Amino acid sequence: MNAPFSLSGIAVSQGIAIGRAYVITNTAMETLHYLVPEEGIESEVKRLQTALTVVREELVSLRAALPEDAPAELGALIEVHAMILADEMFSKELFNIIRTRRYNAEWALMTQIEELSAKFDNITDPYLRERKTDLEQVAERIIKALTGEQEEKPVSTENSEQVDLVVVAYNVSPADMLQFRESFFKGFVSGTGGQNSHAAIIARGTDIPAVFGLSDALPLIRQNDWLIVDADAGVVLVNPTPLILAQYRAKQSVQHKAKRRLSRLKKMAAKTLDGTAIELLANIEFPEDCRMVVNNNADGVGLFRSEFLFIGRGGGISRFPDEEEQFEAYRQAVVLLKGRPATIRTLDIGADKVLPSSEKVKVLNPALGRRAIRYCLAEPEVFLTQLRAILRASAFGPVKLLLPMVTHGSEIDQALGFLEEAKNQLRSRGDRFDDAIQVGAMIEVPAAVLALPMFTSRLDFLSIGTNDLIQYALAIDRVDPDVAHLYNPLHPAVLAMLKMTVDYAVEAGIPVSICGEMASDHQLTRLLLGLGIRQFSMHPGQLLKVKQEVLLSDLNILTPKVARILTLCEEQEIAVAVQDLHQEEMSI
Ligand code: PEP
Ligand code: MG
């Protein structure tokens, strides 16, 4: 085992995870990971055996089909692949992994390939070292054979060896993160990703401790190393001493107890000490998340990131969910919310939320490119299909429509034009919908803040997306760990923009909420309350912590203090003042 050491990264969620490292390569990331139930082990072994036979036969026919004048290397290559497959040790070890660790066949395969690859890396002979590529190619063939015949994936949440695992990945895209939402992994460590990358947002949504941005230090972690992921501090401790391990286990148990205590707040109304009612809404990615929304007694959904229904399925536009599939998803959300409002944001595709196969051309600045509303207006069929699906869902309960990344009045006008067209299409089909559906826009581009009348004159509500607002205002890529230290929600320019937006919306009599990650940070709740925010939308897992802050806050005390904070010009000074505000004792 390695000697103990620690690595610093970016804290993207909270809590402590302890477990063994499961180092996962990019190829492995794309394969499925689940534990096979005890009774399914032998059929999983059989599934792998069948796939191995398919690949063997494939290689035989490939060899036979080679033209006489084919280069000799080609035949030799196929033979090397066939030899790898014929190696009994290779298949025996694979079956062994399935039987002892209960990994599904794909996962077992990738585990073994990674172990073998590591051995190849240590070979000095360059020819032999190159054979690692053959191994990977064979693995690819087997994976293809497996997925070709794959049916239902049994999912189990128990780990056969009762050893908790922490995923260590070089690069986690939002689509990759989706597969871990329901996973049994206890923590995440990633080489890339900033605090507000979408992968980080999903990590927070899973409520699993995660540290991102370890970049060059990541290779220091080896398969099976013991890890402590301290997501509060953004630190990963590798192979800790027994004493440190014991200290962290104690800390972990204190955190679990505090979480249980918080759940007592579920039933309480979110009111400040002076009696002001605060609306606490939830951000969701999938309709099923509405169960958590109801479970935490949120007031509704303030942001349904609909793009997650589109990404992660590969194949680009041709694989987009059709109207029926989208309608079912939105309707499911509306029904699960039992009368609470669902604010559905139209497709916010682009930047780090890419559709892998649709990105034919590499765009230099994707966050400034054809993203969100720009994409939808350029793809009317995609937009109209989604609008019809959302409208149809509005017949089953309260739905609001939210437009992302709007910068120009003309974009709102065009979007509203498409909405009318979608309504007409439904009318001619005789489909029901809420004709008075409310339409709002995200305020997430600085130009929108400086041109608010353009929005308030055309829309029913506003929702501030601080994640992008900060990115675009401070010119910091929210995904880039190299500039993550400059991504500061407490920059005076950011606070000034929040204040401007809230004041203007209040004056115009238009509701305004905040749905960026600032809303989830309970250490900022009082600041936001003092700025005049009365509607917060966040991941449901953060809701009770924010509610606790609301219950302990008095607007009469907060408001003048926040007004003073707004006069400060130094980031450090603001940070101290906000921290003091957060810690101040307030009681009736
Ligand atoms: C935001 O930008 O703050 C926001 C809520 O949208 P997203 O994080 O999905 O870009
Ligand atoms: Mg955004």
Side-chain angles (χ1 to χ4, degrees):
M1 198 161 83
N2 276 338
F5 61 96
S6 66
L7 301 170
S8 284
I10 301 165
V12 301
S13 64
Q14 291 160 357
I16 291 162
I18 301 173
R20 289 222 183 248
Y22 173 56
V23 183
I24 194 166
T25 61
N26 285 347
T27 342
M29 180 72 82
E30 286 155 20
T31 62
L32 290 166
H33 298 79
Y34 53 90
L35 290 172
V36 181
E38 206 64 53
E39 63 279 10
I41 287 180
E42 285 317 307
S43 61
E44 190 66 4
V45 168
K46 192 122 197 282
R47 192 165 79 86
L48 182 56
Q49 273 168 337
T50 314
L52 293 174
T53 310
V54 168
V55 178
R56 270 187 213 113
E57 284 166 2
E58 210 175 82
L59 290 175
V60 170
S61 33
L62 259 179
R63 183 82 180 91
L66 273 187
E68 296 237 328
D69 56 350
E73 295 85 15
L74 218 54
L77 194 79
I78 296 174
E79 257 146 43
V80 171
H81 287 194
M83 270 162 58
I84 295 173
L85 272 176
D87 182 350
E88 252 193 44
M89 288 295 286
F90 179 73
S91 46
K92 248 194 187 157
E93 182 51 27
L94 285 178
F95 302 148
N96 186 35
I97 295 176
I98 297 178
R99 289 194 174 108
T100 55
R101 301 192 213 172
R102 284 180 37 209
Y103 289 3
N104 61 303
E106 291 88 343
W107 188 5
L109 179 67
M110 292 323 297
T111 305
Q112 201 193 344
I113 295 295
E114 271 159 29
E115 276 165 22
L116 292 173
S117 295
K119 287 188 186 144
F120 273 100
D121 286 339
N122 293 330
I123 295 175
T124 40
D125 180 332
Y127 172 79
L128 286 178
R129 206 171 46 227
E130 271 304 297
R131 303 286 52 86
K132 180 177 147 179
T133 319
D134 294 317
L135 199 64
E136 287 163 354
Q137 286 166 351
V138 171
E140 239 167 72
R141 281 186 189 281
I142 304 172
I143 295 273
K144 262 195 209 134
L146 280 166
T147 24
E149 47 127 62
Q150 190 174 326
E151 285 162 21
E152 281 227 330
K153 319 159 215 152
V155 179
S156 166
T157 48
E158 273 173 58
N159 184 340
S160 59
E161 291 179 332
Q162 299 303 324
V163 173
D164 291 337
L165 296 176
V166 171
V167 174
V168 178
Y170 281 78
N171 186 2
V172 201
S173 73
D176 294 329
M177 275 314 282
L178 291 178
Q179 65 158 310
F180 296 121
R181 283 163 50 93
E182 308 270 318
S183 84
F184 49 88
F185 292 113
K186 297 294 180 221
F188 294 114
V189 176
S190 165
T192 56
Q195 240 261 329
N196 288 293
S197 62
H198 286 92
I201 290 173
I202 300 175
R204 272 196 286 284
T206 59
D207 216 9
I208 292 180
V211 173
F212 280 12
L214 287 174
S215 51
D216 298 344
L218 205 74
L220 298 174
I221 302 177
R222 300 209 202 128
Q223 202 69 271
N224 282 327
D225 274 348
W226 271 106
L227 298 182
I228 296 175
V229 182
D230 182 346
D232 299 312
V235 167
V236 179
L237 294 116
V238 186
N239 294 320
T241 61
L243 184 65
I244 300 227
L245 205 54
Q247 282 172 343
Y248 268 92
R249 285 208 194 279
K251 216 166 153 184
Q252 203 180 24
S253 116
V254 170
Q255 288 185 348
H256 287 158
K257 276 189 201 136
K259 223 175 182 172
R260 279 200 295 277
R261 270 202 305 277
L262 261 187
S263 67
R264 294 183 202 142
L265 302 183
K266 274 185 195 172
K267 293 265 157 61
M268 291 180 74
K271 262 192 190 161
T272 54
L273 290 169
D274 55 286
T276 310
I278 305 299
E279 216 173 312
L280 299 182
L281 302 144
N283 293 352
I284 63 164
E285 278 93 37
F286 289 100
E288 310 85 82
D289 299 342
C290 289
R291 291 201 179 88
M292 235 212 291
V293 177
V294 174
N295 190 262
N296 282 288
N297 203 15
D299 293 310
V301 167
L303 172 65
F304 182 164
R305 287 185 165 99
S306 70
E307 54 277 9
F308 285 95
L309 301 173
F310 293 67
I311 60 172
R313 44 199 284 150
I317 205 166
S318 60
R319 298 272 308 271
F320 277 2
D322 62 13
E323 182 184 323
E324 228 31 55
E325 189 180 338
Q326 286 188 60
F327 161 63
E328 271 312 322
Y330 306 139
R331 193 183 67 95
Q332 190 192 349
V334 171
V335 170
L336 284 171
L337 288 174
K338 299 185 182 116
R340 297 169 175 88
T343 309
I344 305 175
R345 182 173 72 183
T346 56
L347 189 57
D348 181 9
I349 212 94
D352 61 334
K353 288 181 283 196
V354 280
L355 301 166
S357 57
S358 71
E359 291 288 290
K360 290 191 197 82
V361 189
K362 259 256 164 285
V363 182
L364 213 53
N365 292 308
L368 302 179
R370 212 173 66 136
R371 187 191 156 181
I373 194 70
R374 299 172 186 179
Y375 177 90
C376 287
L377 295 177
E379 297 285 353
E381 270 322 304
V382 173
F383 198 32
L384 280 168
T385 304
Q386 181 173 40
L387 291 173
R388 284 194 303 269
I390 297 174
L391 281 167
R392 283 171 61 195
S394 72
F396 294 82
V399 171
K400 296 182 196 177
L401 198 72
L402 181 60
L403 306 171
M405 213 192 157
V406 181
T407 316
H408 304 274
S410 60
E411 288 168 333
I412 305 175
D413 294 339
Q414 282 180 67
L416 293 176
F418 279 119
L419 183 64
E420 252 341 284
E421 195 176 333
K423 284 182 179 179
N424 284 333
Q425 289 170 343
L426 293 182
R427 279 187 197 109
S428 63
R429 283 175 9 190
D431 284 335
R432 288 186 312 125
F433 62 89
D434 172 12
D435 198 13
I437 189 167
Q438 288 193 11
V439 185
M442 301 279 294
I443 299 295
E444 50 186 352
V445 177
V449 178
L450 298 173
L452 281 163
M454 207 158 71
F455 288 71
T456 51
S457 61
R458 289 171 163 91
L459 296 161
D460 303 306
F461 67 96
L462 304 176
S463 186
I464 309 174
T466 50
N467 307 338
D468 279 314
L469 190 58
I470 298 167
Q471 151 164 276
Y472 295 128
L474 305 185
I476 288 159
D477 186 342
R478 62 195 262 196
V479 183
D480 186 349
D482 289 345
V483 285
H485 60 291
L486 297 172
Y487 186 100
N488 182 13
L490 298 182
H491 189 291
V494 174
L495 300 190
M497 284 194 290
L498 294 182
K499 182 71 179 149
M500 268 179 80
T501 309
V502 175
D503 285 355
Y504 195 84
V506 170
E507 200 183 302
I510 284 202
V512 59
S513 65
I514 180 166
C515 65
E517 293 300 294
M518 278 181 87
S520 316
D521 185 347
H522 70 287
Q523 300 192 46
L524 302 182
T525 305
R526 285 180 167 177
L527 170 74
L528 298 175
L529 285 169
L531 282 168
I533 305 271
R534 299 291 177 263
Q535 286 181 336
F536 294 66
S537 192
M538 70 208 81
H539 185 270
Q542 310 293 126
L543 201 129
L544 295 178
K545 257 197 167 161
V546 171
K547 189 190 267 189
Q548 190 176 36
E549 289 295 312
V550 168
L551 294 170
L552 295 171
S553 299
D554 185 335
L555 293 183
N556 297 321
I557 302 176
L558 282 182
T559 311
K561 291 201 179 222
V562 171
R564 198 192 72 80
I565 291 176
L566 287 172
T567 64
L568 303 175
C569 313
E570 293 299 324
E571 291 173 69
Q572 194 50 36
E573 252 185 308
I574 296 174
V576 171
V578 170
Q579 178 73 355
D580 288 348
L581 189 70
H582 166 60
Q583 287 171 345
E584 187 168 329
E585 288 269 338
M586 292 184 198
S587 55
I588 314 175

